[in-house]
Amino acid sequence: DGGITQSPKYLFRKEGQNVTLSCEQNLNHDAMYWYRQDPGQGLRLIYYSQIVNDFQKGDIAEGYSVSREKKESFPLTVTSAQKNPTAFYLCATQVRLEAFFGQGTRLTVV
Amino acid sequence: SQKIEQNSEALNIQEGKTATLTCNYTNYSPAYLQWYRQDPGRGPVFLLLIRENEKEKRKERLKVTFDTTLKQSLFHITASQPADSATYLCALDRGAAGNKLTFGGGTRVLVKP
């Protein structure tokens, strides 16, 4: 079954804690993206990667970090430097102009 | 500054009627524009793509228009059904490296039986 798997579905973070969101794809797509979605707002681009071992900052990269060691995997770490991390996080791949999304991870700071 | 705007108010519509959603943008010159559907708590799903040289695109009960002079796209759902209830997002390319997309905030559609 081809697709993008994000885990966990729900994640709770304590103040000052780093957390890592997982994104795995078996679509064999080169390009992968991380977006953040807040209520009533458009998706905002955090980081993207067009090829293994290379990634670029998006519009709101501060307080986040990523790695792209394998084509299938693009994990996102939300660091303690991100002051307002509560949001819905979406991982996507893109090919021939069309984006494919995972089911998202809802992160809440407690 | 660059902006992409969709009506943030929910659109309530009776089953069988046509729903029309608007996507306006400023300070972009997109080569194409896309529409996605998003259900609560789930990721968006691609619906349609329309290029700058296309005026209209159709897919089943969906129709998209793209007016680069007005900097506007209209998205129509004809013969709407309760199953069409969702949030619809427009997205356009930034014309920059990385094929980056900019998304609007989405318009929620509620189709009542």
Side-chain angles (χ1 to χ4, degrees):
Chain A
D1 209 8
I4 301 168
T5 302
Q6 290 187 242
S7 62
K9 189 172 175 64
Y10 299 96
L11 186 57
F12 297 91
R13 190 194 95 166
K14 294 182 180 178
E15 295 279 353
Q17 191 178 43
N18 291 356
V19 291
T20 297
L21 284 59
S22 171
C23 177
E24 302 282 331
Q25 58 112 348
N26 61 4
L27 300 171
N28 200 35
H29 293 166
D30 287 311
M32 296 187 74
Y33 302 77
W34 273 105
Y35 293 92
R36 169 182 172 141
Q37 187 175 33
D38 294 281
Q41 295 192 35
L43 280 64
R44 291 184 288 168
L45 182 63
I46 304 172
Y47 267 98
Y48 66 101
S49 168
Q50 293 183 273
I51 198 167
V52 175
N53 293 323
D54 186 53
F55 50 82
Q56 307 294 329
K57 292 182 179 180
D59 303 314
I60 56 165
E62 186 175 350
Y64 301 97
S65 66
V66 294
S67 63
R68 187 83 186 277
E69 297 176 2
K70 298 186 300 181
K71 186 175 185 177
E72 302 79 17
S73 179
F74 191 39
L76 173 74
T77 297
V78 184
T79 74
S80 57
Q82 170 51 237
K83 297 307 177 189
N84 185 22
T86 295
F88 189 49
Y89 290 87
L90 288 159
C91 177
T93 66
Q94 193 168 322
V95 68
R96 291 189 298 275
L97 308 180
E98 179 182 337
F100 300 81
F101 287 87
Q103 294 306 296
T105 293
R106 188 166 299 280
L107 173 63
T108 304
V109 174
V110 295
Chain B
S1 64
Q2 296 177 316
K3 285 196 299 185
I4 178 168
E5 293 181 321
Q6 297 184 252
N7 192 341
S8 58
E9 290 185 20
L11 179 64
N12 292 299
I13 192 163
Q14 203 66 35
E15 182 176 7
K17 301 293 185 184
T18 297
T20 298
L21 285 63
T22 304
C23 176
N24 295 299
Y25 59 91
T26 55
N27 294 324
Y28 283 105
S29 296
Y32 58 90
L33 188 145
Q34 303 179 25
W35 285 88
Y36 290 79
R37 170 183 172 140
Q38 186 175 25
D39 291 289
R42 303 181 73 87
V45 174
F46 173 82
L47 295 174
L48 279 167
L49 179 150
I50 185 166
R51 298 181 185 275
E52 61 177 338
N53 60 349
E54 298 175 312
K55 295 293 185 187
E56 181 179 298
K57 201 93 172 266
R58 293 176 185 260
K59 179 183 176 182
E60 298 172 351
R61 293 182 295 108
L62 307 179
K63 185 178 86 171
V64 172
T65 63
F66 191 13
D67 189 325
T68 55
T69 301
L70 292 178
K71 296 186 182 296
Q72 180 181 81
S73 175
L74 298 179
F75 177 81
H76 307 272
I77 308 173
T78 60
S80 59
Q81 304 169 359
D84 295 325
S85 299
T87 295
Y88 293 86
L89 308 171
C90 67
L92 50 80
D93 79 291
R94 303 188 196 184
N99 288 327
K100 292 177 285 189
L101 297 173
T102 297
F103 285 83
T107 298
R108 187 176 168 210
V109 173
L110 180 59
V111 182
K112 299 181 179 179

